Amino acid sequence: MACAWDFQFRVLLLGDSGVGKTSLLRWYTDGEFSSSTGQTVGVDFCSRVEEPEDGVKVRLQFWDTAGQERYRAVTRSYYRNASAVILLFDLTARPSFDNILNWYQEVIERTRPEPLIYLLLGTKSDLRAQRTVTREEGQTLADTLKAPYLETSARTGSNITAALSLLCRELLKMARQEKTQGERWKGRCTTVPEAQHTQKRTCAC
Ligand code: GDP
Ligand code: MG
């Protein structure tokens, strides 16, 4: 499918195996939920173009770990040049919540340059009766990470668009600030050269 965009950002998804990373992405990019996402080997890519402001198209390019997170063996190249990191835990699986700080630590240690933005998501909010992490606990952790916090469900689609739209707006805001500051910006975002702005660039994606 051909599309046009003005900004492009690389967004990483991290969290324990089974928290619903692939399901969330699938819902967001394909609009569907499947009870079996399957295990892919290596890294999965997908993207979606958002229009956070009239006439400004932002392409979010998602990197989804495909199995390596099970062994905490995510390769270093995965972390390179990420603009944003989405940390996910399963609201019904307490250990995945306890592990968020480990994932965060790993990002800090391995990502060069450091990502601009974090987002914390508690997933599977549809499974209310099985919940083991409270909203307050999620919010407190998010405050520690200085990240927005939302609870999502890939089964119902609840809050997924809201979460990614928020991320997109924050990235755009940051990008505009960073661009004026120079260094930290480099390699983190692809922009269409000014000259091509009037005649939108078309890319294959
Ligand atoms: P990943 O390993 O983090 O990529 O997790 P998956 O996306 O493969 O999901 C693991 C399992 O959780 C699958 O059986 C999904 O169907 C299920 N799952 C994912 N998201 C949700 C959700 O929001 N609600 C419910 N009820 N199940 C979910
Ligand atoms: Mg997966």
Side-chain angles (χ1 to χ4, degrees), residues 44 104 144:
D44 272 348
Y104 178 72
T144 311

Side-chain angles (χ1 to χ4, degrees), residues 16-23 33-37 39 64 69 124 126-127 152-155:
D16 285 2
S17 182
V19 298
K21 300 181 291 299
T22 304
S23 300
F33 174 75
S34 156
S35 52
S36 145
T37 47
Q39 278 271 322
D64 180 15
E69 79 278 22
K124 310 191 189 179
D126 57 289
L127 300 175
T152 57
S153 166
R155 184 174 287 277

Side-chain angles (χ1 to χ4, degrees), residues 1-203:
M1 191 179 74
C3 69
W5 45 267
D6 304 288
F7 293 86
Q8 176 171 251
F9 298 102
R10 184 164 158 175
V11 180
L12 309 184
L13 276 85
L14 284 169
D16 285 2
S17 182
V19 298
K21 300 181 291 299
T22 304
S23 300
L24 180 127
L25 274 189
R26 204 159 279 183
W27 191 94
Y28 183 63
T29 57
D30 298 342
E32 62 179 42
F33 174 75
S34 156
S35 52
S36 145
T37 47
Q39 278 271 322
T40 330
V41 177
V43 176
D44 272 348
F45 307 93
C46 60
S47 66
R48 180 170 149 171
V49 176
E50 286 264 352
E51 195 168 339
E53 293 169 12
D54 273 355
V56 180
K57 293 215 165 65
V58 176
R59 182 173 188 243
L60 299 176
Q61 187 188 53
F62 298 100
W63 285 50
D64 180 15
T65 48
Q68 318 101 300
E69 79 278 22
R70 188 177 295 273
Y71 314 102
R72 302 289 305 275
V74 178
T75 51
R76 200 165 275 271
S77 61
Y78 182 81
Y79 293 93
R80 202 172 300 138
N81 287 335
S83 296
V85 174
I86 305 180
L87 295 165
L88 301 94
F89 68 91
D90 179 344
L91 288 162
T92 72
R94 184 98 203 167
S96 70
F97 175 72
D98 296 335
N99 256 338
I100 286 291
L101 283 177
N102 294 330
W103 285 113
Y104 178 72
Q105 194 55 39
E106 198 149 314
V107 174
I108 298 288
E109 281 166 16
R110 308 184 91 184
T111 312
R112 295 287 176 275
E114 248 180 63
L116 301 171
I117 292 176
Y118 294 90
L119 178 65
L120 179 67
L121 299 182
T123 62
K124 310 191 189 179
S125 60
D126 57 289
L127 300 175
R128 287 202 192 104
Q130 293 156 51
R131 186 172 175 132
T132 54
V133 181
T134 66
R135 181 181 290 274
E136 291 67 33
E137 287 174 309
Q139 187 60 58
T140 303
L141 178 58
D143 292 345
T144 311
L145 304 175
K146 297 190 174 56
Y149 173 62
L150 282 99
E151 298 186 345
T152 57
S153 166
R155 184 174 287 277
T156 65
S158 172
N159 261 346
I160 295 181
T161 306
L164 275 301
S165 298
L166 172 70
L167 183 77
C168 188
R169 286 195 306 274
E170 288 297 313
L171 275 169
L172 190 57
K173 200 158 69 182
M174 277 289 210
R176 285 172 171 156
Q177 288 167 13
E178 291 289 327
K179 198 174 180 185
T180 55
Q181 290 166 21
E183 274 316 297
R184 286 184 64 211
W185 168 259
K186 281 184 192 149
R188 229 90 71 80
C189 166
T190 319
T191 48
V192 178
E194 293 296 331
Q196 292 179 28
H197 261 268
T198 43
Q199 150 205 12
K200 287 256 158 78
R201 163 170 164 176
T202 302
C203 67

